[in-house]
Amino acid sequence: MDLTQLRQQIDEVDGQIVELFKTRMALVDGVARYKREHSIPVLHAGREEEVLDRAAKLAGPELAGASRVLFTTLMDVSKGSQYSQNLPPDSKLLSYRDRAKEPFVLPSAARVGCQGVMGAYSSIAARRMFPQPDLRFYRHFADVFDAVDQGEIDFGVLPIENSSAGSVGEVYDLMKAHDFSIAAALKLRIDHCLVAKDSMDIGKITKVYSHEQGINQCRRLFDEHPHLEPEVFSNTAAAAEFVSKSTDGTLAAISSKETAELYGLKILKENVQDNDFNFTRFIIITKDFVRTADADKISLSLVLPHRAGSLYHVITRFAVLGLNLTKLESRPIPGRDFEFRFYFDFEGSILDDKVLSLLHQLDQQLEYFSFLGNFHEHCR
Ligand SMILES: O=C(O)C(=O)C[C@]1(C(=O)O)C=C[C@@H](O)C=C1
């Protein structure tokens, strides 16, 4: 038999499989209806084991493992369909959807908190999102969360990820500790400048102050000018302020253009970062769930069962619904033996029934599920 003939036969078999799949799904509809009428939960782990064992046995030793994978996926699809038909009216997710129906508009003036001092990248992010902010500054990320919690501020602006340095783990951990919602996100381009009190030749500079990340992101500058001595400071804006107040005219800082202007510093060189693709993502958090009309991204925090294939099964569910995962991040769970909490970002809206049913499914089946928000990521 040649390849074309083999493929013709595969097509025929596939046709039969699809017909059987449709028959199975019609039976599943009957199960869903029965379970709804008799208040029986969708998930029946014992029955699933039975189905998997039977399929493995029928397939024989060679295909036992593969048929388990196939039937697990079939039952995932089955549960997805049942959950979308049997959403309980008291589901918290339904209350989010109801609130989402009234679109929220980010105010131009609001009480906004961020970590650091005026001129820090968080404050630049806050100004881009809220043109007339009543800005409050806090020493630690945790203080910003507490201020949101106590109603001292309406929004908190926090860095979550940098394109060179990676995720800001502490902010992820704080999101877990608080039941807050992400109202919006911002991708901010980070352009570092070499700044000093007076315009001068780089050759005359002695020390360069900045946050550790600022220094690390500008390694080439130090390689090309080996006489420059890097000095680590608590943050870029505080470094710029220090240089502006110093009587030593040979000091410089690495900061943003806005920060340099804020402290009356001169820009000696722009774009001194090694990598031109240097972005930081910020999240704008609120105490209560809100959704803007342009929201197209969803963030979740999940704890998966500690067994082979569990991440694969969750990812399959996104794939089955054609949902695009844009980020998958894991953080160790303190006190557990290398078990992880996962953060998923995907493109979607809570107003979409299939998304709502997937969220409900995850909420029902996983040890821990937290819906962190449905928002739009701005790039300004
Ligand atoms: O038998 C059931 O109770 C079903 O809901 C059907 C089914 C399946 O697709 O086979 C789906 C979900 C359950 O967890 C177990 C099995």
Side-chain angles (χ1 to χ4, degrees):
M1 230 188 293
D2 66 16
L3 184 60
T4 314
Q5 288 167 323
L6 286 166
R7 282 182 177 162
Q8 266 166 5
Q9 294 205 14
I10 287 181
D11 284 347
E12 266 172 44
V13 173
D14 286 352
Q16 292 167 20
I17 293 175
V18 170
E19 281 312 311
L20 288 173
F21 175 55
K22 281 161 69 179
T23 309
R24 191 181 203 281
M25 288 306 283
L27 292 168
V28 164
D29 278 352
V31 172
R33 210 171 312 117
Y34 184 91
K35 288 189 169 176
R36 187 170 56 243
E37 284 163 10
H38 295 83
S39 304
I40 300 173
V42 170
L43 177 69
H44 190 305
R47 170 66 185 156
E48 292 200 11
E49 281 305 314
E50 226 174 82
V51 171
L52 293 179
D53 289 345
R54 188 164 171 272
K57 209 165 156 197
L58 285 173
E62 284 259 310
L63 287 173
S67 77
R68 278 184 182 275
V69 173
L70 179 63
F71 276 81
T72 304
T73 305
L74 279 177
M75 287 192 286
D76 280 347
V77 176
S78 153
K79 280 178 286 188
S81 161
Q82 294 193 54
Y83 278 121
S84 61
Q85 297 173 49
N86 295 1
L87 261 176
D90 60 345
S91 160
K92 199 174 173 190
L93 291 162
L94 278 180
S95 77
Y96 288 147
R97 188 182 63 179
D98 290 343
R99 262 184 279 164
K101 284 180 184 155
E102 253 181 54
F104 178 75
V105 179
L106 274 188
S108 58
R111 296 171 304 163
V112 183
C114 43
Q115 185 267 345
V117 294
M118 184 63 97
Y121 284 103
S122 291
S123 74
I124 296 171
R127 286 181 177 281
R128 299 261 166 107
M129 294 305 295
F130 303 94
Q132 295 139 2
D134 169 2
L135 266 181
R136 322 252 170 120
F137 291 95
Y138 298 89
R139 203 174 156 77
H140 303 291
F141 292 140
D143 303 334
V144 180
F145 279 81
D146 288 345
V148 171
D149 199 26
Q150 282 150 24
E152 206 175 290
I153 51 175
D154 307 307
F155 299 95
V157 176
L158 297 135
I160 193 105
E161 182 183 13
N162 177 266
S163 54
S164 320
S167 292
V168 186
E170 192 186 339
V171 174
Y172 274 106
D173 294 345
L174 285 160
M175 280 306 282
K176 153 74 182 73
H178 295 80
D179 192 15
F180 294 163
S181 180
I182 301 174
L186 170 70
K187 192 168 141 192
L188 183 74
R189 197 188 150 90
I190 305 292
D191 277 332
H192 291 308
C193 301
L194 182 68
V195 302
K197 261 174 111 165
D198 298 302
S199 301
M200 63 172 145
D201 194 81
I202 294 185
K204 299 218 169 76
I205 296 169
T206 54
K207 290 179 177 167
V208 180
Y209 293 79
S210 194
H211 184 265
E212 196 175 355
Q213 279 206 12
I215 290 173
N216 285 337
Q217 287 165 18
C218 304
R219 279 282 146 211
R220 208 171 40 224
L221 175 79
F222 293 95
D223 290 345
E224 284 170 5
H225 304 278
H227 72 284
L228 295 179
E229 217 179 296
E231 290 282 343
V232 173
F233 225 77
S234 55
N235 64 62
T236 50
E241 187 183 17
F242 173 76
V243 168
S244 75
K245 287 186 177 152
S246 166
T247 50
D248 183 348
T250 71
L251 306 185
I254 290 172
S255 78
S256 70
K257 208 171 178 174
E258 281 102 326
T259 309
E261 280 161 12
L262 187 72
Y263 293 108
L265 295 166
K266 300 277 182 312
I267 293 165
L268 306 185
K269 199 170 180 203
E270 283 189 51
N271 295 335
V272 290
Q273 68 272 12
D274 300 342
N275 191 342
D276 234 13
F277 188 86
N278 193 12
F279 287 91
T280 295
R281 288 179 61 229
F282 291 86
I283 50 172
I284 288 86
I285 56 162
T286 55
K287 198 165 177 177
D288 295 317
F289 171 77
V290 289
R291 182 185 181 276
T292 54
D294 55 0
D296 50 7
K297 212 169 191 183
I298 289 178
S299 266
L300 306 175
S301 164
L302 314 172
V303 174
L304 309 184
H306 192 34
R307 59 169 184 262
S310 63
L311 180 59
Y312 164 79
H313 289 308
V314 170
I315 290 175
T316 304
R317 291 182 202 188
F318 286 89
V320 164
L321 297 178
L323 297 169
N324 186 22
L325 274 177
T326 55
K327 182 166 186 189
L328 180 53
E329 174 74 32
S330 63
R331 297 277 306 149
I333 304 174
R336 301 255 288 253
D337 185 13
F338 287 102
E339 289 185 47
F340 294 87
R341 179 181 313 285
F342 289 91
Y343 291 89
F344 282 71
D345 277 1
F346 68 98
E347 286 168 7
S349 161
I350 195 160
L351 296 175
D352 177 347
D353 282 344
K354 70 177 190 217
V355 169
L356 197 68
S357 112
L358 170 69
L359 299 182
H360 177 61
Q361 218 180 118
L362 297 172
D363 189 14
Q364 293 294 301
Q365 290 174 15
L366 300 178
E367 174 191 327
Y368 175 85
F369 167 91
S370 178
F371 173 73
L372 302 178
N374 187 189
F375 56 90
H376 181 66
E377 182 168 300
H378 300 257
C379 192
R380 293 180 179 163

